[in-house]
Amino acid sequence: MLMKSAPRIVLYGRHSTSLQTITSSQDQTASCMKLVDYLNGTVVATFHDPEMSGYKRNLPGLKQLLRLVEDGEADMVVCESLDRLARDGEDVAWLGKKLAYHGAELYTVSENHVDQVKFGIAALLGAIFLKNLVDKTLRGMAAAVAAGRIAGGRSYGYDSRKIYDQEGERIRGYLDIVPVKAEVVERIFRDFASGLSSIDIATALNLEAIPGPRGGEWNASTIRGDPKKHTGILNNPLYVGRLIWGRRKWRRNPDSENRERRYKMRDQSEWLEIEVPDLRIIDDGLWEAVRAEMQRRSISNKPREGEADKPESPAGKPRKKHLLSGLIKCSHCGSNYTISGKDYYRCAGHKERGTCGNTLSVRKGALEQAAMAVLQHHLFTEEHAKIFTETFNREVKKISGNEIDRERITRNRLAVIETELENLSANMLSGLLSPTLMKMLSDREAEKADLETRLSRTAPTKPIAQMDTSKNRWRLTA
C-alpha cells in the first residue's frame, strides 16, 4: 500500500475498571509517541475510553475513531496493543475488515504492524482470554457466596461493610443492615400482606418523599417484581436470611451493537443457597403471609368456570410492544404514557408511582389512528414516494446481485470438482487405488451432489421485483 510521507495517525487508549490508574488510557497513548515518530506520522486525533470493557463494540471513543477512518481523515490507527481496541474474537475480526475496507492500517507498540494474520491470532487469543476470565470470575463468585459474602449487586436495605485484611486490602462482599431502610422493607411486606397493592404502596412511599432503591421514586414493579425470577422487594430471600446465587445465566446478544445482556433462569438444582442469619430483616411468618397473599391474588385473577374470556393477570408476563410504546409523554410530569388495561394509555407517573395528578386516559385505537393519519398526510407525498422507490429498487438490485454472485461461485466450484473427479477416475483406471484416493473420491462426489442441489434451488437471477410509480400509482413489477 502506498503511503503518504506523513501519514495521518489516530491514537487510542482504553482501560477497563476504576481499579486502574485514572490516567491509564492517557498513559497508553503517551507511550505510543515513539512509534508515531518512527512512522514519521502526524497525530490528527486522540480518543480514550476510560473504565470501559473491551468486550463492548459501541465504545464512544472507538466509534469516533472509526467515524474518522470512514470519512477518510486518517491513514493509521496506533495504540498500545490490539486488545485495547477489542477483546472478543468476532469484534477483532470485524475491526480488521473495517480498517482494511477503508484503507487504514493498524500499528501497536506491542505487535508493531498488525496484518490479517495477526488479526486472526488476536481473535483466537481474545476468545480464549474471555472464556478463562468468565470461568475464573464465576469460580471466585461461587467461593465468595459459599463463604457467606455477596457476589453481585447490593439489595435495598443494606450497605457495604468495610473490612480489610492484614495487608490493608479491602475484603468485598460483606453487608450491614441499614435500620432506616430495613423499616421501609418491613413496612412494604406488612402493607402488602394486609391487602394493599404494590401501586398503593409505591404511591404512599413517594408521597412521603422516601427515596427508592436508586435514590429516585418508587415504582410498583420495584416492589412486586416477578416471584418466579425472585426479582422485586417482595421476592428477595435475603430479607429472611437466605442468600441465593446462580439463578440466572447471563448471555450477550451477538446481533446487537450494544451487546445488551439477556438471561434465562437456571434449573433450581444449579442454585447455590447459603444461610446468612445476620442479614435477616423480616421473620418467616411475614414472609409466608406475603407468599400467601400473592397466591391469593394470582388465583383471583385467573378465569373462573364460565368466565373463559376473563383475562389472566399480566404480572410476570412479557410486556407487549404497542404502536406508540415509549413515544407518548405526559405533559404534566414528562413520564411515558403506558398501556393500562386492555386498550387505554395512561401516565406511568400516575399509574405506577402515584406522583402525577394527570388522570387522563386515552383510548389506544383513537390515538393510534390519529397518529397514522398524521404520518399518512406528511409522508405519503410525491417526494417521499420517490425516495422510497429509489431505495427499494436499489436494495432489490443488491439482493439480485448477491444471488448472481453466489450462483457464479457455486458453478465455478462445481466445474473444479468435476475436473478433480475426472482426474481421480483416471488414476483409478491406471491402478492407483488407495484409501486416501477412495476418501477423496467420496468427498468430491458428496460435494458435487450438494452443489448441484444448491443450483437447482437457486432463485431466478433477474430482479425479484421493481417499484413502479408511473401514473401516480405504486405497483410491483416482476
Side-chain angles (χ1 to χ4, degrees):
M1 176 181 175
L2 295 176
M3 186 60 62
K4 298 177 181 179
S5 57
R8 297 165 298 172
I9 294 177
V10 181
L11 300 181
Y12 179 77
R14 178 193 65 80
H15 66 272
S16 300
T17 69
S18 58
L19 298 178
Q20 294 173 267
T21 307
I22 193 171
T23 60
S24 180
S25 295
Q26 287 88 339
D27 295 341
Q28 292 172 27
T29 51
S31 70
C32 296
M33 292 310 300
K34 289 185 179 180
L35 181 56
V36 172
D37 293 338
Y38 172 78
L39 295 170
N40 193 30
T42 302
V43 176
V44 295
T46 301
F47 300 107
H48 299 112
D49 281 316
E51 298 181 25
M52 293 280 186
S53 169
Y55 189 88
K56 296 180 180 179
R57 185 184 290 184
N58 64 332
L59 302 176
L62 182 60
K63 288 171 67 176
Q64 293 180 64
L65 181 153
L66 292 176
R67 193 176 302 120
L68 206 66
V69 171
E70 290 170 3
D71 292 341
E73 298 179 11
D75 305 309
M76 289 182 182
V77 176
V78 174
C79 58
E80 186 179 55
S81 60
L82 183 52
D83 62 10
R84 297 301 87 199
L85 287 165
R87 280 197 180 276
D88 179 73
E90 180 186 351
D91 290 347
V92 171
W94 167 80
L95 184 64
K97 291 179 180 179
K98 197 168 186 66
L99 292 177
Y101 177 77
H102 293 289
E105 292 187 295
L106 174 63
Y107 281 81
T108 70
V109 175
S110 300
E111 297 96 356
N112 200 9
H113 180 232
V114 182
D115 55 18
Q116 291 303 312
V117 174
K118 290 182 180 178
F119 269 114
I121 295 173
L124 175 61
L125 294 177
I128 295 173
F129 171 83
L130 287 175
K131 180 64 170 61
N132 290 338
L133 180 63
V134 169
D135 292 343
K136 290 178 181 178
T137 301
L138 290 177
R139 284 199 301 271
M141 294 174 73
V145 172
R149 292 188 286 143
I150 305 299
R154 186 170 67 249
S155 300
Y156 179 81
Y158 304 95
D159 199 1
S160 297
R161 183 191 304 174
K162 295 182 179 180
I163 301 179
Y164 301 89
D165 61 18
Q166 295 179 349
E167 299 178 356
E169 291 291 333
R170 184 174 176 180
I171 304 175
R172 301 180 182 276
Y174 289 103
L175 301 179
D176 286 321
I177 296 175
V178 180
V180 175
K181 294 182 178 179
E183 291 178 4
V184 176
V185 172
E186 288 187 83
R187 169 182 169 176
I188 290 172
F189 274 79
R190 286 196 308 268
D191 288 349
F192 190 87
S194 66
L196 289 180
S197 70
S198 52
I199 295 176
D200 293 334
I201 297 171
T203 301
L205 293 173
N206 288 327
L207 289 175
E208 296 176 32
I210 297 175
R214 296 185 179 181
E217 296 177 338
W218 289 87
N219 286 308
S221 57
T222 303
I223 295 170
R224 175 67 185 244
D226 186 343
K228 294 181 179 179
K229 297 179 180 178
H230 291 257
T231 59
I233 296 286
L234 295 172
N235 303 301
N236 190 344
L238 193 59
Y239 295 136
V240 285
R242 288 189 290 121
L243 172 59
I244 299 179
W245 180 81
R247 293 170 293 184
R248 306 181 188 96
K249 183 176 182 179
W250 290 93
R251 300 169 294 175
R252 294 183 185 271
N253 181 8
D255 295 326
S256 170
E257 289 288 330
N258 296 326
R259 289 290 193 269
E260 77 264 16
R261 298 178 74 200
R262 298 179 180 178
Y263 69 84
K264 67 175 182 179
M265 298 300 294
R266 286 192 175 99
D267 186 85
Q268 194 165 348
S269 62
E270 300 180 57
W271 298 1
L272 179 61
E273 183 172 339
I274 303 295
E275 296 292 329
V276 282
D278 292 344
L279 298 180
R280 177 188 285 271
I281 291 179
I282 64 170
D283 56 45
D284 291 332
L286 185 53
W287 174 266
E288 293 302 329
V290 167
R291 307 270 74 74
E293 181 64 16
M294 284 187 172
Q295 179 67 12
R296 184 189 68 79
R297 298 185 194 188
S298 176
I299 293 174
S300 66
N301 276 311
K302 289 182 178 179
R304 299 176 183 173
E305 187 176 353
E307 295 181 338
D309 295 334
K310 181 179 178 181
E312 294 188 26
S313 170
K317 295 183 178 180
R319 292 186 176 183
K320 294 181 179 179
K321 282 286 186 180
H322 298 271
L323 179 63
L324 301 178
S325 292
L327 299 177
I328 312 172
K329 300 291 183 181
C330 174
S331 61
H332 286 223
C333 68
S335 299
N336 285 333
Y337 253 60
T338 58
I339 286 293
S340 175
K342 185 178 180 181
D343 59 354
Y344 279 89
Y345 283 103
R346 285 180 58 193
C347 171
H350 174 75
K351 175 189 171 186
E352 292 284 330
R353 300 185 288 275
T355 56
C356 179
N358 184 5
T359 60
L360 177 65
S361 296
V362 184
R363 188 179 290 276
K364 182 180 74 170
L367 186 58
E368 291 179 352
Q369 186 176 359
M372 291 303 297
V374 172
L375 291 175
Q376 183 175 6
H377 175 73
H378 288 284
L379 291 181
F380 291 178
T381 64
E382 184 176 347
E383 181 182 357
H384 288 128
K386 182 180 178 182
I387 294 173
F388 175 81
T389 302
E390 291 174 351
T391 304
F392 179 86
N393 290 336
R394 183 167 59 250
E395 290 301 315
V396 167
K397 185 177 180 181
K398 184 188 299 183
I399 293 171
S400 301
N402 291 339
E403 291 292 338
I404 293 172
D405 288 341
R406 279 194 290 267
E407 183 180 357
R408 183 173 61 250
I409 292 170
T410 304
R411 290 190 183 280
N412 290 341
R413 179 58 182 167
L414 181 59
V416 172
I417 292 296
E418 289 174 342
T419 301
E420 291 181 358
L421 284 171
E422 290 176 3
N423 294 334
L424 290 170
S425 300
N427 288 330
M428 292 180 67
L429 290 174
S430 301
L432 298 176
L433 190 63
S434 68
T436 302
L437 193 64
M438 292 297 295
K439 185 177 185 307
M440 290 177 64
L441 184 64
S442 175
D443 291 344
R444 296 305 185 274
E445 289 285 1
E447 186 175 356
K448 178 184 177 183
D450 178 59
L451 292 171
E452 289 175 340
T453 301
R454 267 192 253 173
L455 285 174
S456 66
R457 296 175 181 173
T458 302
T461 56
K462 64 180 181 179
I464 303 169
Q466 288 288 315
M467 184 68 74
D468 182 13
T469 57
S470 61
K471 300 181 181 179
N472 295 322
R473 290 185 298 177
W474 288 9
R475 59 178 179 176
L476 288 174
T477 59

